[in-house]
Amino acid sequence: MSQVLILAEFSADGVAKTVAELATAGARVGSVTALVLAAPGKGGALAGLITSGPIAEVVVIESDAFEKYSVAAASDAVAQVITARAADAFLVASSAYGKEVAARVAVQIESGLITDAVDVGADLTATQLVFGGSTTVHSRVSHGCAVITLRPNSITPDLVAASPSITTGAFEMSASAQLAQVISRAPYVKGGRPELTEAQIIVSGGRGTDGNFAVVEAFADSLGAAVGASRAATDAGWYPHSLQVGQTGKTVSPQLYVACGISGAIQHRAGMQTSKLIVAINKDPDAPIFEIADFGVIGDLFAVLPKATEGVQARKS
Amino acid sequence: MKIAVCVKQVPDSWAQKTMINGLLDREGVDAVLNDLDEYAVEEALRIVEAHGGNGEGGAHTITLISMGPARATDAVRKGLSMGADSAIIITDDALIGSDALGTSKVLATVIADQKFDLVLCGTESTDARMSVVPAMLAQRLGWAQLTFAGSVIVTPDDSTVTITRETEAGVDTMKAQFPCVISVIEKINEPRYPSFKGIMAAKKKPMAVHSLSEIGLGKQDSWSAVVDATPRAAKAAGVKVVDDGAGGEALLNFLVEKKFA
Ligand SMILES: Cc1cc2nc3c(=O)[nH]c(=O)nc-3n(C[C@H](O)[C@H](O)[C@H](O)COP(=O)(O)OP(=O)(O)OC[C@H]3O[C@@H](n4cnc5c(N)ncnc54)[C@H](O)[C@@H]3O)c2cc1C
Ligand SMILES: Nc1ncnc2c1ncn2[C@@H]1O[C@H](COP(=O)(O)O)[C@@H](O)[C@H]1O
């Protein structure tokens, strides 16, 4: 039976949603082992959090190197586990961290790499959406272990109860992985709203908000949505950089994306164009965002959003 | 300091892109210097300018390195006109269709040959959008990896670099000794426009063009292959309403119809 290794990640809230997603994709291919990289003494508790997804086994490796040397240490550990187990595939969530771990692993184990897959088939064919979502590409790794990064929120996770066996592993860190050291860390503090990359609905504000995100947030909250922003809004300091959507921000693909006061520049579209449904509210009838919107309101967001918010709330009560 | 900047020629972001036989059709579109690499060139210039400068009279050098088709020279010229000193271009028909693994192998081979202190990259090429080449370079060279930098502080006296790594996870401060591979995010600076003087000077700057065999490599096999590529059906034109006072309600009705409210 094929062996698939996935990298399990955790946040302050517990196990990342991507773990079950990666496991679901992996289980189509073969037996899934989740790798947990933890600080000394912390591995058992983290492994215990993995309670759903088709996961047969959890391998825990504890080392303070994962905090201290981040990507470089993680990639050494992953590469060694893949080699020891002759894994056929390694799946990791697409993020700066996940892609860089995948990159270093692919070099170390001399294997092909596919990034930003939105789906993975039973024969390890990966589906990608390229050129701003205008083209669907199927590709396959043709050499070595298939190293694939999977975009969060792309596949529906199988949340079957998991009771994996837990084993402890070890790894040997290369000298070159210890060359760059993490001096301090300031993780983003998660607000009360859903994570951008995990949200079903995202409401984003741009320069058109003129710095007043309250109407955008109120509308988002009525729908239980995450809030995003264009670069114009993050550059102006109106909204945190971590919530920027686009080429140099996050790539999102929610069920519904609502762009408020956003013109739809190519770099913004690159991060949201594959959303299932797109709604735009913009004063300018010629704004490029309307070219990709399923539903558009030509108007002032400060007039349109509060009315829609009221309507959504009224339906709930 | 001896600094290299990896720059890629890419199709213009605005261009309509198509695929032919599983490869991006690069002939049919305008090619430009990858936006994000301009930030890397700018940061390299700022690093040397803070310590006496490059070019005539300066102690430091900035070399652009690019792998790509022969016309990659156009994009490289832009980097030279911004102020880099020289360029190395690797071009070879055998490189058509290279993946990131092959690209990083070629770039690492050129870099390893030259004893650079720092190599700067963009975080992403706007065509491949993989964000993996800088990490692959660090791995291949066995150098420190300082990537996704939102700020870079170089201290030549003790040969150290400190960056803030800014990603979706948060902000980490990282430190390493030369030699390092650094990639920069677009928030780091505002790239300068080439001056007229810079453009004229760039025409005379050395640009070495090498084939694969000249750098001691053979054909690089790609380890992933496109099975098929299909343009997605163009989306049917959406509904647009003009807000005459009922826009909010129209939006609500759409949300209800689609079961979001
Ligand atoms: C290398 C690079 C990377 C980039 N990366 C990103 C990225 O990741 N994400 C990103 O978003 N951008 C990115 N950009 C920037 C991008 O090119 C645009 O500048 C940016 O997206 C514009 O933001 P905006 O739509 O909010 O502002 P604008 O383009 O100024 O549009 C504002 C819109 O609001 C409308 N408006 C104004 N007032 C109202 C009102 N009261 N009601 C309704 N509508 C109103 C206007 O009609 C206009 O269409 C990048 C650029 C570069 C060069
Ligand atoms: N063919 C290339 N030639 C030179 N530099 C490159 C090339 N491909 C990628 N790079 C560098 O690696 C960075 C990340 O690219 P990528 O991993 O393709 O998204 C780019 O911003 C460049 O600095």
Side-chain angles (χ1 to χ4, degrees), chain A residues 77-117:
Chain A
V78 170
Q80 288 167 32
V81 174
I82 292 173
T83 306
R85 299 179 160 242
D88 302 280
F90 169 59
L91 307 180
V92 57
S94 274
S95 62
Y97 175 82
K99 284 192 191 186
E100 291 198 326
V101 168
R104 293 184 69 112
V105 165
V107 170
Q108 290 193 49
I109 62 171
E110 303 198 343
S111 292
L113 166 67
I114 293 172
T115 53
D116 286 314

Side-chain angles (χ1 to χ4, degrees), chain A residues 99, chain B residues 5-10 34-38 40 65-69 90 100 103-104 107 120-137 182-184:
Chain A
K99 284 192 191 186
Chain B
V5 185
C6 294
V7 296
K8 186 178 187 186
Q9 170 137 322
V10 296
N34 180 29
D35 293 355
L36 288 149
D37 297 348
E38 288 184 28
I65 302 178
S66 189
M67 181 193 113
I90 304 91
T103 302
S104 62
L107 296 174
L120 272 76
C121 294
T123 31
E124 173 175 301
S125 54
T126 52
D127 55 348
R129 300 205 61 199
M130 291 182 78
S131 290
V132 295
V133 167
M136 287 181 172
L137 283 177
I182 300 168
S183 78
V184 303

Side-chain angles (χ1 to χ4, degrees), chain A residues 99-100 104 108 111 133-134 136 138-140 142 179 181 183-186 188 241 247-248 294 296 298 307, chain B residues 101 126 130 139 145 147 165 167 169-175 223 225 227-228 230 232 235 239 241 243 245:
Chain A
K99 284 192 191 186
E100 291 198 326
R104 293 184 69 112
Q108 290 193 49
S111 292
S134 65
T136 305
H138 292 112
S139 45
R140 289 175 54 93
S142 52
L179 294 171
Q181 196 173 330
I183 307 292
S184 68
R185 258 176 212 276
Y188 284 123
H241 189 68
Q247 184 194 314
T248 48
D294 299 281
I298 301 164
K307 281 194 192 138
Chain B
L101 286 142
T126 52
M130 291 182 78
Q139 176 73 45
Q145 175 185 327
T147 45
R165 172 182 170 87
T167 68
V171 180
D172 294 347
T173 303
M174 297 188 71
K175 190 172 178 181
W223 287 345
V227 180
D228 57 54
T230 7
R232 296 174 95 204
K235 263 186 144 174
V239 182
V241 299
D243 180 32

